Amino acid sequence: MINFYYSDEYFNHDTGSHPESIERIKVVKELLFKEYASHNFIEPSYATKELISNVHDINYIDNIFENIPTSGFNYFDPDTIASPSSLKSYLSAVGGSVDAVDHSRDSQKDKNVYFCAHRPPGHHAEKNKAMGFGIFNNIAVSAQYANTKKNYSKILIVDFDVHHGNGTQHMFESNPNVFYASSHQFPFYPGTGDISETGNGNIFNCPLPSGCDSILFRKLFTENILEKINHNFDLLYFSAGFDAHKLDPLASINLEDDDFKWVTEVIIKKYAVNIPIISVLEGGYDMNGLYNGLNNHLKVLQKYSDE
Ligand SMILES: [Zn+2]
């Protein structure tokens, strides 16, 4: 059984013809209601400014609240668009990611699994800057809350989105309790994610060359992440982006549907021993790639939870 934090609210975050579009949540909803309708669906709460300020500057948060347009679009960066109803999506995406932490602590079960089906993505958002379609760093707010308020002492975030999660890395690079591992096309947007960026010994970057296929991906991921991280964790996160899929129009990595199953399986096998897993949607801009990649990821999460 997967616990899904999902809301129809995400249909109201209008970005026009941008690739991070309403179409994405339509495809995700179709998958969830077709294949996972019997699972547990929970409406996310709205995150408060106080909660978000655990990782973002309060002046930045105020600036976002004050600059939501009353009509048309506003651009927080050239790629990060707000329309009149966007704020509720921003707050729900953070809220659901944090609600999952509370749920995991309140539950009697060790192996709870959560998937936060939301938009916009968050892993590029910096402490005081909107970036790469995201305003607030959903996973970073959640992991910081889990670490400082809910007593999770060793947290692993695995980010297989095709872009490096610069925001997440920067927020945790000096925090020894939160490990961040990312595979991503490199060099590529946003420019960070070199293998030499190791933080406090808690950052593990796995750069992938343009054109990288399934075989090379599995080899590099094994060498740079699986073989390098040898710790026990009490909470596992996925920054689950599906834009490394071979069909994706924004990048040049050629993963197959099955690679999303593989990466989820190997991470769970090595690091998830009776611990909760919170997976948070990031990118994925080809609708078939998103549907099939996500379905492969979710099947493995479901199996873990049901064992
Ligand atoms: Zn991405």
Side-chain angles (χ1 to χ4, degrees):
M1 165 85 78
I2 301 174
N3 299 291
F4 288 102
Y5 284 95
Y6 168 80
S7 174
D8 280 339
E9 186 61 55
Y10 301 124
F11 281 82
N12 299 326
H13 171 42
D14 183 9
T15 53
S17 57
H18 192 276
E20 203 295 284
S21 64
I22 292 169
E23 193 61 30
R24 298 183 64 237
I25 202 69
K26 202 184 281 181
V27 163
V28 169
K29 182 180 182 181
E30 187 190 324
L31 170 63
L32 302 192
F33 284 77
K34 190 170 165 212
E35 300 282 340
Y36 303 90
S38 63
H39 292 240
N40 189 25
F41 283 78
I42 309 170
E43 185 77 18
S45 62
Y46 295 131
T48 61
K49 282 187 181 180
E50 189 191 350
L51 186 62
I52 300 168
S53 70
N54 285 319
V55 301
H56 289 283
D57 283 346
I58 191 68
N59 293 340
Y60 167 70
I61 302 167
D62 286 340
N63 183 55
I64 297 295
F65 274 67
E66 287 159 13
N67 285 288
I68 300 294
T70 51
S71 65
F73 297 119
N74 190 16
Y75 288 75
F76 287 113
D77 98 330
D79 250 335
T80 310
I81 304 166
S83 52
S85 299
S86 294
L87 186 61
K88 284 184 177 172
S89 282
Y90 302 158
L91 301 181
S92 299
V94 178
S97 308
V98 172
D99 291 344
V101 177
D102 285 332
H103 190 289
S104 74
R105 275 303 187 214
D106 294 342
S107 170
Q108 303 299 319
K109 199 169 165 244
D110 295 329
K111 293 171 72 177
N112 270 312
V113 167
Y114 304 90
F115 185 76
C116 303
H118 58 213
R119 56 186 287 271
H123 69 159
H124 296 302
E126 296 276 6
K127 196 177 168 59
N128 54 11
K129 195 174 163 198
M131 255 184 88
F133 323 161
I135 302 292
F136 300 129
N137 195 317
N138 308 310
I139 204 164
V141 178
S142 178
Q144 180 75 2
Y145 175 80
N147 183 220
T148 59
K149 309 282 194 237
K150 288 288 166 178
N151 216 22
Y152 284 107
S153 57
K154 207 79 176 171
I155 297 171
L156 175 62
I157 300 173
V158 176
D159 185 338
F160 57 77
D161 186 281
V162 82
H163 303 96
H164 181 244
N166 55 294
T168 313
Q169 175 173 302
H170 291 150
M171 284 166 183
F172 296 115
E173 61 195 355
S174 57
N175 180 345
N177 302 324
V178 181
F179 280 41
Y180 176 70
S182 173
S183 59
H184 45 269
Q185 186 172 334
F186 187 87
F188 197 50
Y189 182 89
T192 51
D194 191 88
I195 202 160
S196 64
E197 297 163 24
T198 55
N200 202 10
N202 62 328
I203 303 294
F204 297 84
N205 282 311
C206 175
L208 307 172
S210 175
C212 180
D213 64 4
S214 182
I215 293 168
L216 182 59
F217 167 72
R218 294 184 187 203
K219 177 177 181 286
L220 293 173
F221 194 92
T222 301
E223 289 171 0
N224 293 307
I225 294 178
L226 294 170
E227 289 176 358
K228 284 191 183 168
I229 304 178
N230 294 296
H231 289 266
N232 294 320
F233 298 95
D234 54 7
L235 180 59
L236 171 63
Y237 282 94
F238 287 101
S239 249
F242 300 91
D243 41 9
H245 194 282
K246 65 181 180 185
L247 295 175
D248 200 275
L250 296 197
S252 310
I253 300 297
N254 296 318
L255 298 195
E256 308 285 339
D257 294 341
D258 194 51
D259 289 314
F260 296 98
K261 176 170 178 262
W262 178 84
V263 73
T264 312
E265 270 176 351
V266 291
I267 288 293
I268 287 180
K269 191 172 172 213
K270 178 148 187 184
Y271 304 109
V273 182
N274 295 325
I275 62 170
I277 301 175
I278 302 174
S279 180
V280 171
L281 184 61
E282 300 287 356
Y285 306 97
D286 175 83
M287 297 310 131
N288 288 317
L290 175 59
Y291 187 101
N292 293 323
L294 177 56
N295 196 20
N296 275 271
H297 176 61
L298 292 175
K299 283 203 169 93
V300 182
L301 293 182
Q302 179 183 353
K303 190 167 160 243
Y304 171 77
S305 170
D306 291 348
E307 270 168 0

